[in-house]
Structures are given as C-alpha cells and as structure tokens.
Amino acid sequence: MSSERVRSQFEPVARNYVTSHFHASADRLAEVIELVEPEPADVVLDVATGTGNTALALAPHVAWVLGLDLAPGMLAEGAKVARERGIGNVTWIVGDAAALPFVNESFDVYAVRAAPHHFPDVEAALAEAWRVLRPGGRLGLVDCSPPPAARDFVHEIEVARDPTHVRSHTVEEWTELLARTGFEVESARRRELEWRFANWMGTMDVSAQRAAELEAKVESAPPEVREALAPERRDGELWHRYWHALIRARKPADG
Ligand SMILES: C[S@@+](CC[C@H](N)C(=O)[O-])C[C@H]1O[C@@H](n2cnc3c(N)ncnc32)[C@H](O)[C@@H]1O
C-alpha cells in the first residue's frame, strides 16, 4: 500500500484510534504486555504505532519506546496523549515497517499490533524486525486473523471498510513466516472476541450507507461463514465474532 494512501486513510480518523473500543481497551493492551513481558532496561520499537496505544501501554514498564508509523498525523495524536499522561520516554518517528531507519541490533523488543494486515510485503517487514532486534530480543505481534471458513468473506468486509487492508494471515502462516525469518516462535494462538459491528465501522468513519450495506452482507453470509461469525442482534445492534493472532517469538541469542 502506498505511503500516501495509508496517510490519507488514517490521518482524518486519527482521533478515533485514541478512543477506539478495541485499540484503547485496557484488556487488549494487557495482552501485549503479557506477550512481550517488558523489563525495566528494555528499549522497545512499536511498529505502525498509530496513535501510540501500544507504545504508551509499554512505556511505564521499560526504559524507552520508539513509536514508528507512516502517518505523521497519527503520531501527532500519540504525542499529544503522551503529554496529557505525562509519559516522557516515547519518541515518535515517521518510517516504513519494511525499511526501518535504525542500525542493526538496536532493540530488545519489537512490537506490532493491529497493523501487519496493511503491509504489502510482510516478509520484508519481518526481515527488518530481525535485523533491528538484538540477539535474544523478543517480538510480540497481534493482528486480525479470521479462521479459514470466514477468511475470504471477512477480507471483503475489511477492504470495503478500509481500502488499505492488504491481507490477514492465519496463526499457522505467521508461525511459518517467522520461522523462515529465523525467529523461534514461543507462543502462537488465535483469540476470539465478541465484536460490535458499529464500533468497527465507526473507527474508520465508514458512511452510514456503506455500513448498512456491509451489515446486510454479514447477516446474509453463507451458512459456513455464519457459523464462524455467529452474527446476532443485541438491542437491535449487530454483533459477531472477530479474531486476532497473538504471537510471541524470539531472535535466538546466537542469531
Ligand atoms: C490500526 S492502526 C495501528 C494501531 C496501533 N498499532 C495500536 O496498537 O493502537 C494502523 C497503522 O499502521 C500504519 N501503517 C500502515 N502501513 C505501515 C507501514 N508500512 N509502515 C509503518 N506504518 C504503517 C498506519 O499509518 C496506521 O497508523
């Protein structure tokens, strides 16, 4: 996805990511902390940090965090939140996950959450993660990851909601990609959430008409997709299942 396209998609909705029910949720941020087990001396790189939810959650536990993103307008919101919360150990840097502006072996931890599905070249991004991690460094990855039965269907909704969505990978694909890069995968699982459709559309300011079309699409999904998504109405609102891959990996100490 071109940098310009990513910027123009995210910058107008930057503020939504500061308050997003998923991205700013304390429970969801606790998952990242559990994955990377931050230590006080750690220097952390949070790639595609957006408005810095992950970077700011890790910051109190570590020495320093660099939050990197393609979109300066997202980083500006992150910097604002850091100032409001009095968090002073985060630096914000514009850059591309596939060409990181850092020398080799600069970081103890590489975090990336809710973003690799935007990367046109995931293998290049993982090669960069490997390069900038010191030997023994940890990688924590969280990204959308529907099960095979719902994958193609959810992809259509994702792209209609956000044209910068490229591809969601399964846990098995992530495990294979990470192993091929040289990482030792220490834990890999798919986690399921109850997902409020209106929040999902709202984060991207999807128009009411487009949201209604996509809602109708979910409700008329083929039987095998419906079985996976389990759409239901609660107080008139559409809810369904949604999934993420949660992966912890390590660059071997002799890597
Ligand atoms: C959903 S937001 C990230 C959310 C954030 N990681 C969090 O935990 O709240 C996705 C971000 O990925 C960024 N992005 C997309 N492609 C990128 C790339 N190739 N390199 C760096 N950032 C990228 C977008 O600019 C956007 O800010």
Side-chain angles (χ1 to χ4, degrees):
M1 198 53 58
S2 82
S3 311
E4 194 39 56
R5 194 132 183 242
V6 169
R7 283 186 199 122
S8 59
Q9 181 70 28
F10 280 95
E11 292 189 331
V13 295
R15 194 68 206 161
N16 296 351
Y17 281 85
V18 176
T19 54
S20 154
H21 284 265
F22 168 76
H23 298 83
S25 150
D27 288 347
R28 303 283 73 81
L29 291 166
E31 285 175 340
V32 183
I33 292 168
E34 200 181 309
L35 266 188
V36 304
E37 294 179 353
E39 291 173 14
D42 281 341
V43 177
V44 176
L45 174 62
D46 180 34
V47 167
T49 193
T51 58
N53 292 299
T54 299
L56 295 166
L58 289 169
H61 304 279
V62 301
W64 208 267
V65 183
L66 279 95
L68 174 136
D69 201 281
L70 273 182
M74 294 291 272
L75 296 174
E77 282 298 328
K80 202 162 115 193
V81 176
R83 278 195 300 277
E84 284 162 10
R85 294 191 198 161
I87 295 176
N89 62 339
V90 182
T91 304
W92 309 94
I93 293 176
V94 179
D96 188 331
L100 296 173
F102 309 110
V103 297
N104 297 354
E105 301 182 6
S106 302
F107 297 97
D108 303 293
V109 173
Y110 175 106
V112 64
R113 188 180 78 138
H117 59 273
H118 297 294
F119 301 166
D121 188 346
V122 166
E123 292 187 1
L126 291 184
E128 281 293 84
W130 170 272
R131 185 181 67 74
V132 302
L133 272 176
R134 67 160 174 79
R138 290 104 72 203
L139 174 145
L141 181 152
V142 178
D143 202 22
C144 42
S145 185
R151 183 187 184 145
D152 292 346
F153 183 88
V154 174
H155 178 80
E156 287 175 24
I157 308 271
E158 296 275 20
V159 173
R161 167 189 174 269
D162 167 12
T164 68
H165 183 105
V166 176
R167 179 184 167 88
S168 303
H169 290 78
T170 63
V171 172
E172 293 72 24
E173 286 168 343
W174 278 123
T175 304
E176 160 69 19
L177 284 162
L178 285 159
R180 222 188 299 149
T181 312
F183 284 99
E184 286 168 2
V185 177
E186 296 183 333
S187 69
R189 71 184 175 98
R190 189 174 68 223
R191 186 261 295 113
E192 183 175 298
L193 292 176
E194 296 191 325
W195 204 244
R196 190 171 164 222
F197 184 86
N199 288 347
W200 192 24
M201 297 297 126
T203 315
M204 269 298 173
D205 281 357
V206 174
S207 71
Q209 187 189 336
R210 168 69 59 87
E213 287 162 12
L214 297 177
E215 190 165 307
K217 187 173 163 78
V218 168
E219 292 202 292
S220 58
E224 67 281 8
V225 175
R226 282 184 67 84
E227 199 178 317
L229 276 175
E232 63 167 304
R233 292 267 164 196
R234 294 188 199 161
D235 296 327
E237 285 215 58
L238 178 61
W239 288 72
H240 56 84
R241 294 182 187 138
Y242 195 85
W243 306 264
H244 293 91
L246 273 64
I247 307 209
R248 174 190 162 95
R250 188 179 291 273
K251 177 171 175 174
D254 58 0

